[in-house]
Amino acid sequence: MTSATIKSDLPLTGLAGLKQNWREDALAGFLVFLIALPLCLGIAMASGFPPQAGLITAIVGGVLVSRFNGSFVTINGPAAGLIVVVLASVQELGGGDAMAGYRYTLAAIVCASVLQALMGVMRAGKLSAFFPSSAVHGMLAAIGIIIMAKQLHVMLGVKPDADTLFQTIGAIPASLREMNPEVATIGFVGLAILIGWTLVQNRYLKMIPAPLIVVLVGMALGQYFDLDDEHIYLLMPEAPVLPHTEYSIGPKFLVEIPQNFMAGFAFPDFKPIFSLVFWQQVVAICLVGSLETLLSAAAVDKLDPYKRTSDLNRDLAAVGVGNIVCGFIGGLPMIAEIVRSSANCNNGARTGWSNFFHGLFVLIFVALFPKLIREIPLASLAALLVFTGFRLASPSVFKKTLAIGWDQLGVFCITIVGVLATDLLIGVAIGVFAELAFHLYRSVPWSEVLRLRLEIEETEEGVYHVRMGARPSSRMSSA
């Protein structure tokens, strides 16, 4: 397909685009909905929010934000990358009171989203260029490690006696020894399905979302183990050599959402707005959410079969407005989500209406079938998050970073250690300073380190000469 053909065949937008492409966009939106539903529930619970908060965000991101954002095939919703920062906010602001922390964090989301929308209006779409990619990917890898460390215990049906991240990691062997066998079976089966699905080559089977299979199998196992009823059981009571430890099972291992959809809304409490810790959480939510949105939207453009380019400033402003709405009604912050957007493209989406349909299907399902959602085991959602965390911090990520250079691997690893040892903001700052130190070590002039202007010249086929901060030559300016 030539560029001229692509340009002449671009799908229409607005209502004309809906009329032209509703079949393709509705199908893609439905398939994305099947992926989004379990992920939204799991991300919300891992963030310290009620499960319905993730669904609220998917609905707002699809039904509202899709109508005025600056992208074409991106899906807006909650993402694993924000779990750590939102959970930290709930814990820091709540001081042990989960409900107070939830409502205070909603207030922080509102304030962060106002800043996010203003950044878009002020054309801060190039913000991500100021942060070294290795530091950003190091931050995401650290988030992946934290997600795995926390969700593995949920997958095993054990609550560890741990206050810090390193204690949580250190408690993993004990949780493996003390795991609830029936809950762990649901979790490990889900994890095995996710791993096995990556090996499937048949394109028709690949159209079935793996998260959907994990949830359906988990619900079947939940019925088999009778998770709806509180009871105590023994593992293989007929075997005389086993210690026959008693294990409890019941509805506490299932998702809990209100029977009435409207009862799931919550409202922010701005009581701590004058405290320093509140604004620390505001900055963290704004920075991490904005970076992930910009990076994801730019990445999705490369997947768009029509090669359209998103307006990143408009997209950032739209996500900010959507997050303000989410903060006022009890939802998580949203970003332009890369995994769901990739599935959207792969399933034939043409316009932003696929994002709209994805949010509409979530709304319909939550409003009509809340009882079905309450049959989903928490272990199945935890397996999804453990797998997601592994993808963020897999060995292949380290390998790709090493391929760029040892110095970038150094920045990547320094950022990971910084985030794990401190928090997201300080860890990213450590990574940025590490990148600057490497630049200065290479004798890059200090005055040029923070500049975005580049001059790229192809000296011979396949060989490029890049000048940082150089004045564009007259030849290149006229090109």
Side-chain angles (χ1 to χ4, degrees):
M1 187 181 292
T2 65
S3 58
T5 305
I6 291 173
K7 196 167 185 180
S8 63
D9 292 342
L10 285 179
L12 300 174
T13 57
L15 292 177
L18 174 62
K19 183 178 179 181
Q20 180 191 53
N21 305 293
W22 71 269
R23 291 178 181 84
E24 294 83 358
D25 286 340
L27 176 60
F30 178 74
L31 294 172
V32 171
F33 146 72
L34 295 177
I35 300 172
L37 181 70
L39 287 175
C40 290
L41 291 168
I43 290 168
M45 298 187 69
S47 301
F49 273 38
Q52 189 164 320
L55 302 176
I56 290 171
T57 302
I59 294 167
V60 173
V63 176
L64 176 64
V65 175
S66 69
R67 298 301 81 232
F68 58 92
N69 62 356
S71 54
F72 298 94
V73 288
T74 56
I75 298 295
N76 298 109
L82 285 170
I83 289 175
V84 175
V85 67
V86 174
L87 180 61
S89 178
V90 172
Q91 293 172 340
E92 290 288 331
L93 297 178
D97 186 336
M99 180 52 68
Y102 169 43
R103 296 186 63 199
Y104 294 154
T105 299
L106 291 178
I109 290 171
V110 171
C111 295
S113 305
V114 170
L115 296 178
Q116 196 173 46
L118 290 174
M119 286 165 57
V121 172
M122 297 171 65
R123 308 189 66 79
K126 290 186 176 181
L127 172 71
S128 60
F130 284 100
F131 292 86
S133 61
S134 295
V136 173
H137 287 106
M139 174 193 75
L140 294 174
I143 288 172
I145 293 170
I146 295 170
I147 291 172
M148 285 189 287
K150 291 179 178 292
Q151 290 302 306
L152 186 60
H153 300 285
V154 179
M155 200 180 88
L156 298 172
V158 179
K159 188 173 183 180
D161 183 15
D163 297 322
T164 67
L165 172 62
F166 291 106
Q167 288 176 346
T168 303
I169 295 173
I172 291 175
S175 292
L176 287 169
R177 289 193 306 270
E178 299 166 7
M179 65 181 176
N180 190 312
E182 292 185 353
V183 176
T185 298
I186 296 173
F188 281 123
V189 168
L191 199 57
I193 291 171
L194 292 167
I195 295 171
W197 214 246
T198 61
L199 306 175
V200 173
Q201 300 297 325
N202 187 291
R203 67 189 184 95
Y204 297 106
L205 282 177
K206 293 290 280 188
M207 290 181 66
I208 305 173
L212 176 64
I213 300 174
V214 170
V215 166
L216 291 177
V217 172
M219 291 171 69
L221 288 172
Q223 290 296 310
Y224 178 76
F225 293 134
D226 194 19
L227 263 62
D228 287 315
D229 299 312
E230 188 80 37
H231 63 277
I232 294 173
Y233 70 95
L234 299 175
L235 179 64
M236 298 177 65
E238 301 85 4
V241 295
L242 292 179
H244 295 149
T245 303
E246 290 186 342
Y247 299 97
S248 65
I249 202 84
K252 65 182 179 180
F253 293 105
L254 296 172
V255 172
E256 183 179 353
I257 66 168
Q259 180 69 36
N260 182 359
F261 176 67
M262 299 302 293
F265 292 119
F267 305 100
D269 185 341
F270 290 90
K271 191 181 299 180
I273 195 170
F274 296 108
S275 66
L276 177 61
V277 66
F278 178 85
W279 287 100
Q280 287 174 337
Q281 305 310 320
V282 168
V283 172
I285 294 170
C286 178
L287 178 62
V288 176
S290 299
L291 278 175
E292 286 207 62
T293 291
L294 294 172
L295 292 171
S296 297
V300 173
D301 282 348
K302 298 175 183 177
L303 304 174
D304 184 356
Y306 296 95
K307 307 303 178 187
R308 293 164 291 189
T309 302
S310 299
D311 183 340
L312 295 181
N313 296 306
R314 182 175 174 180
D315 212 49
L316 185 61
V319 168
V321 171
N323 282 335
I324 292 173
V325 175
C326 288
F328 272 116
I329 62 175
L332 283 164
M334 75 182 72
I335 67 165
E337 212 284 327
I338 183 68
V339 175
R340 275 157 266 168
S341 299
S342 176
N344 192 39
C345 294
N346 292 337
N347 289 307
R350 294 188 176 184
T351 72
W353 285 105
S354 61
N355 190 12
F356 174 87
F357 280 117
H358 132 265
L360 184 62
F361 284 126
V362 173
L363 174 60
I364 293 171
F365 191 87
V366 174
L368 298 181
F369 306 107
K371 190 170 188 237
L372 201 56
I373 295 175
R374 292 202 296 273
E375 296 297 323
I376 300 175
L378 298 180
S380 295
L381 302 181
L384 291 174
L385 293 175
V386 168
F387 186 73
T388 300
F390 177 77
R391 291 177 64 176
L392 289 173
S394 67
S396 63
V397 178
F398 286 79
K399 185 178 178 180
K400 287 178 183 177
T401 308
L402 176 59
I404 302 173
W406 280 101
D407 56 338
Q408 294 306 301
L409 180 63
V411 173
F412 179 80
C413 294
I414 288 170
T415 306
I416 292 175
V417 174
V419 171
L420 295 179
T422 57
D423 59 35
L424 278 172
L425 286 182
I426 296 176
V428 171
I430 291 171
V432 170
F433 279 112
E435 178 78 7
L436 294 177
F438 279 117
H439 281 316
L440 295 176
Y441 176 75
R442 290 208 201 95
S443 300
V444 176
W446 176 259
S447 60
E448 307 295 343
V449 167
L450 296 178
R451 296 194 185 186
L452 295 178
R453 192 172 67 246
L454 302 175
E455 179 180 319
I456 304 175
E457 182 181 359
E458 187 173 9
T459 55
E460 56 183 277
E461 188 175 354
V463 179
Y464 295 87
H465 187 196
V466 181
R467 294 187 183 89
M468 295 178 57
R471 290 181 179 276
S473 64
S474 58
R475 175 174 57 80
M476 295 189 71
S477 298
S478 61

